[in-house]
Amino acid sequence: MDLKFWVLLSMLVAKDLKFTYSTGPSFSFPDFSCGKEEQLLLLGESGKGKTTLLHLLAGMLKASSGTLELMETDLRNLSAGELDRFRGEHIGIVFQTAHFVESLNVEDNLIMPQYLCSKKIDRQKAKTILSRLNLEHKLKEFPKNLSVGEQQRVAIARALMNDPQVILADEPTSALDDKNAMEVIQLLEEQAKATGAALVIVTHDQRLKDHVQKHIQL
Amino acid sequence: MNLFKIAFKNILFRPLNTSLSLILLSFGVGIISLLLLLEVQLREEFDRNIKDIDLVLGAKGSPLQLILANVYHIDAPTGNINLKEAQRVMRHPYIKEAIPLAYGDNYNRFRIVGTEHNYPAHYGVELKEGKLWSAKFEATIGADVAKNTGLKIGDQFYSAHGLTDNADIHTDKAFTVVGIFENSNSVIDQLILTEISSIWGVHEEHDEAHADGEEHEEPEREITAVLLKKKNPLAIITLPSFIKETNMQIALPSVEINRLNENFGIGMSTLKWVAILIMIISFISVFISLYNSLKQRKYELALMRSMGGRKGKLFAMLLLEGSIMVIIGIFLGLILSRIALLILSGALENQFHYDISNAGLLINEVKLILITIFVGVLASLLPAIQAVRIDISKTLSDA
């Protein structure tokens, strides 16, 4: 199939992607794409540039060469300000360890993506998503009072708040035990399906191989 | 959700850092504002009581003491002067008005002053009830005297020798209250006014009691001082030589008070510098507090950027955090200075019978507030700039 066709179907297309740090290390990434409601696992050991790739996909780094299109938008053509806006509106990111605005409670942290993108604040939505994750009772809790597993679930809830078309997850399970890891990956899959988003997981966690069918080895 | 709420919660989230900055800021602002208030209030108080008194005639000694004792009634008199000699000055053609004062006794620490009716008239003090004194041992009392001693019209009281205590009471001659003055914010509020002859009366008996059996001549009449209004500016030059041969001196209230202010001023400006130093330290503390929290919050800020937060928004948030702290600090400082003024005014009223408690916002304080806000915002500017310059990708992958 040629690239044009893939672009029409795909939320995300990467081709000949290269990135070189000013400090030296240079990475070349294989071509890949991910369609609507599709799930993609980008597997690689440490030092293969997993986080670099995720940051490229999130528009937090700019590729040195190659094409990277999200929803038919070439990220390389956007200005810094446009990138911030694009990222906030279309991409939900889940990081390896969950971080929050420490001074705000769970509810305020959840509406933070809406506020930062100047969208209408919808507190009911925060409640709904949180109850989908069985965390409704933690709404007024401060993040630091939650367990690590709960924090990761709240971080997932936050990534869903702006109905992103693409959810990017950076090692979402590597800090968790088997039980929590399975819960989190199932959750990610369910929620991505529920919102109709493409799910891209960057990880070295071999446990996820059985869960996600489409993998790409870095 | 708005920027103000987030900034406010961030400030509250670091209570120790925040309190340190606030304590320093409010003390700096408080001290400076208290100094400004005191300066203005004292000057007003002093000016109100000088009110057209050009010259003060009294016994030789410190001219400043002469002024403080006779115009403000906050110091002991320099001594007594001979009435006949004083009258020569009072009748001098260059003099428009002369108010003689004779005192040396007190009632509950309030001075009993023998004088003439032109003394309360000079300050425009009006009667609240009763009448002005018209005979020996009749007294008309100031508003604060009435309030503090509870004396009413028709009440009798005995004077005590000296100006400060009740140790030596003249129990033979009682004064009768015949009138009470309206409050006037002048020295009259703190005085008991009577005929000059009553003061002589008390001491004649007093002297006789002590000089028992001795041959006693008709005493030379003495008074304490005379407040003078000049008719001709030449009075200031002529009168000192006119009284050269006597034990009297003439002092100019305006000159002495300026001298006092200058001496006072050194202390005031030293305090001012201390306060400015405290404020500089507080600005540094606001700066360090924001800068330190920035290190801890670097990830948080990168996170907000990754969720679509624009640089401008984060910049505004940090600037707002600094500004909120500074404004709360200013507010606390102004409250602090008012409380201190209230306490000081109570202490001053007890010690000197002076009342300073009117505490509106001064123009100089408005300047102080504007400068403080400006410097405060400046102190939070660098951390804010630092915050928008963070590399999101690097910060997020380092965590």
Side-chain angles (χ1 to χ4, degrees):
Chain A
M1 265 180 283
D2 78 5
L3 187 66
K4 261 271 161 50
F5 180 70
W6 270 114
V7 168
L8 288 175
L9 275 180
S10 295
M11 300 300 280
L12 189 153
V13 178
K15 204 167 184 302
D16 302 328
L17 219 49
K18 284 196 175 62
F19 183 82
T20 307
Y21 280 98
S22 54
T23 48
S26 171
F27 300 100
S28 298
F29 300 104
D31 296 351
F32 59 89
S33 67
C34 185
K36 205 168 153 50
E37 291 183 39
E38 200 178 7
Q39 288 153 17
L40 173 65
L41 201 61
L42 297 168
L43 275 165
E45 295 308 312
S46 300
K48 292 281 187 184
K50 290 192 301 291
T51 299
T52 307
L53 180 56
L54 187 108
H55 287 182
L56 284 171
L57 296 178
M60 298 194 292
L61 288 175
K62 266 195 178 185
S64 315
S65 67
T67 0
L68 177 62
E69 290 187 1
L70 258 86
M71 298 162 47
E72 300 175 42
T73 309
D74 191 342
L75 292 190
R76 301 221 304 152
N77 295 337
L78 297 182
S79 72
E82 286 168 336
L83 268 176
D84 285 343
R85 188 163 188 83
F86 185 87
R87 188 190 316 123
E89 284 181 355
H90 305 296
I91 305 175
I93 311 172
V94 180
F95 295 100
Q96 182 169 0
T97 40
H99 281 269
F100 301 94
V101 179
E102 297 277 349
S103 61
L104 302 178
N105 64 19
V106 167
E107 183 182 7
D108 286 339
N109 263 291
L110 284 180
I111 59 171
M112 186 57 77
Q114 295 180 331
Y115 169 69
L116 289 172
C117 289
S118 308
K119 286 192 169 178
K120 201 172 168 294
I121 303 296
D122 185 355
R123 288 182 183 272
Q124 189 52 47
K125 187 172 183 179
K127 241 177 248 175
T128 313
I129 294 180
L130 216 53
S131 62
R132 250 155 59 192
L133 308 186
N134 292 324
L135 281 173
E136 205 182 358
H137 56 292
K138 301 288 186 187
L139 201 64
K140 300 290 177 192
E141 200 70 63
F142 281 87
K144 64 169 182 198
N145 297 334
L146 302 180
S147 72
V148 181
E150 285 169 337
Q151 286 184 358
Q152 196 60 296
R153 272 143 74 196
V154 173
I156 292 170
R158 182 177 59 196
L160 299 170
M161 280 300 288
N162 280 351
D163 297 322
Q165 281 89 340
V166 179
I167 298 172
L168 300 176
D170 183 9
E171 304 270 20
T173 55
S174 59
L176 303 175
D177 57 28
D178 286 355
K179 185 172 165 290
N180 270 311
M182 285 312 122
E183 269 179 29
V184 162
I185 189 68
Q186 272 167 11
L187 204 64
L188 272 170
E189 285 174 339
E190 281 166 25
Q191 300 307 325
K193 275 198 184 111
T195 42
L199 174 63
V200 179
I201 301 171
V202 179
T203 191
H204 75 277
D205 191 345
Q206 300 293 332
R207 293 178 294 186
L208 302 184
K209 259 184 167 172
D210 308 328
H211 262 271
V212 185
Q213 278 172 353
K214 188 173 175 180
H215 334 137
I216 286 181
Q217 197 72 39
L218 299 181
Chain B
M1 174 77 60
N2 57 48
L3 221 49
F4 189 80
K5 182 183 166 187
I6 303 174
F8 201 72
K9 292 221 164 167
N10 279 333
I11 292 174
L12 291 182
F13 193 68
R14 276 161 269 271
L16 281 182
N17 275 340
T18 305
S19 348
L20 178 65
S21 303
L22 284 184
I23 288 169
L24 287 170
L25 260 172
S26 55
F27 268 81
V29 171
I31 292 173
I32 294 184
S33 123
L34 181 64
L35 289 177
L36 292 172
L37 284 171
L38 275 180
E39 216 175 358
V40 168
Q41 300 243 339
L42 283 177
R43 184 157 300 156
E44 274 177 9
E45 190 70 44
F46 275 100
D47 287 351
R48 195 164 35 233
N49 286 315
I50 287 186
K51 199 176 182 296
D52 297 335
I53 295 170
D54 302 315
L55 303 160
V56 178
L57 177 71
K60 279 210 169 94
S62 150
L64 178 59
Q65 187 188 351
L66 183 66
I67 303 298
L68 290 177
N70 295 294
V71 179
Y72 302 105
H73 294 278
I74 49 177
D75 201 352
T78 44
N80 283 339
I81 53 174
N82 187 294
L83 179 64
K84 279 190 193 112
E85 281 175 347
Q87 273 167 345
R88 281 177 57 224
V89 179
M90 290 162 74
R91 287 173 196 142
H92 195 278
Y94 286 168
I95 294 302
K96 192 162 105 193
E97 192 184 352
I99 304 168
L101 303 174
Y103 57 90
D105 288 349
N106 78 92
Y107 173 67
N108 277 355
R109 296 177 184 224
F110 288 103
R111 290 185 178 189
I112 300 169
V113 179
T115 183
E116 287 170 9
H117 290 172
N118 59 357
Y119 190 38
H122 173 79
Y123 288 106
V125 186
E126 289 181 4
L127 276 168
K128 191 177 165 198
E129 40 185 322
K131 61 184 182 79
L132 290 175
W133 67 97
S134 54
K136 217 171 167 182
F137 295 114
E138 280 188 355
T140 307
I141 62 178
D144 289 344
V145 182
K147 201 174 84 185
N148 282 300
T149 60
L151 283 175
K152 289 181 290 294
I153 288 178
D155 284 355
Q156 293 203 323
F157 62 92
Y158 293 105
S159 64
H161 194 57
L163 298 172
T164 50
D165 51 45
N166 289 325
D168 188 6
I169 298 173
H170 305 293
T171 48
D172 30 17
K173 283 288 174 188
F175 285 85
T176 307
V177 178
V178 297
I180 297 170
F181 288 116
E182 200 77 70
N183 186 54
S184 64
N185 287 327
S186 68
V187 275
I188 304 290
D189 295 349
Q190 312 281 348
L191 298 176
I192 297 169
L193 303 186
T194 182
E195 285 281 330
I196 294 185
S197 59
S198 347
I199 306 290
W200 293 330
V202 169
H203 287 102
E204 269 163 21
E205 309 258 337
H206 187 72
D207 290 343
E208 270 169 27
H210 284 279
D212 210 12
E214 273 179 37
E215 192 91 6
H216 202 65
E217 284 173 30
E218 173 71 11
E220 286 269 300
R221 294 300 191 193
E222 285 188 325
I223 57 171
T224 316
V226 185
L227 308 180
L228 299 167
K229 272 200 263 186
K230 62 181 190 295
K231 192 183 280 171
N232 187 321
L234 283 175
I236 296 170
I237 304 162
T238 325
L239 288 178
S241 55
F242 187 73
I243 58 166
K244 220 158 90 187
E245 301 300 318
T246 69
N247 75 332
M248 299 189 292
Q249 65 162 337
I250 280 182
L252 282 73
S254 50
V255 171
E256 296 308 320
I257 292 310
N258 274 344
R259 219 156 55 91
L260 184 68
N261 276 338
E262 272 167 32
N263 293 334
F264 239 137
I266 296 170
M268 287 281 217
S269 65
T270 310
L271 262 180
K272 214 174 259 179
W273 280 110
V274 171
I276 288 173
L277 205 68
I278 293 177
M279 285 193 68
I280 291 173
I281 294 171
S282 72
F283 288 133
I284 295 173
S285 142
V286 169
F287 172 76
I288 292 176
S289 151
L290 284 175
Y291 202 83
N292 258 345
S293 75
L294 199 67
K295 264 194 221 156
Q296 298 160 14
R297 288 165 60 193
K298 218 172 149 188
Y299 194 96
E300 202 173 296
L301 291 163
L303 190 76
M304 289 171 90
R305 289 286 309 282
S306 83
M307 293 190 290
R310 298 287 194 90
K311 286 181 177 181
K313 222 169 206 176
L314 300 192
F315 183 77
M317 182 180 83
L318 283 162
L319 220 54
L320 206 58
E321 283 179 26
S323 312
I324 290 173
M325 276 211 259
V326 169
I327 287 168
I328 294 177
I330 291 173
F331 190 69
L332 290 179
L334 292 179
I335 292 178
L336 215 62
S337 69
R338 264 62 186 177
I339 292 173
L341 188 70
L342 218 66
I343 294 168
L344 270 181
S345 131
L348 279 180
E349 210 178 342
N350 284 336
Q351 266 191 337
F352 301 116
H353 300 301
Y354 266 63
D355 179 27
I356 45 166
S357 50
N358 174 28
L361 202 61
L362 308 172
I363 294 174
N364 275 335
E365 283 184 307
V366 176
K367 281 187 205 158
L368 172 71
I369 292 170
L370 292 179
I371 292 172
T372 311
I373 292 177
F374 178 74
V375 182
V377 169
L378 220 59
S380 41
L381 203 59
L382 195 64
I385 292 172
Q386 205 76 4
V388 299
R389 285 179 52 190
I390 50 174
D391 181 339
I392 331 174
S393 169
K394 192 173 179 309
T395 309
L396 289 174
S397 48
D398 280 351

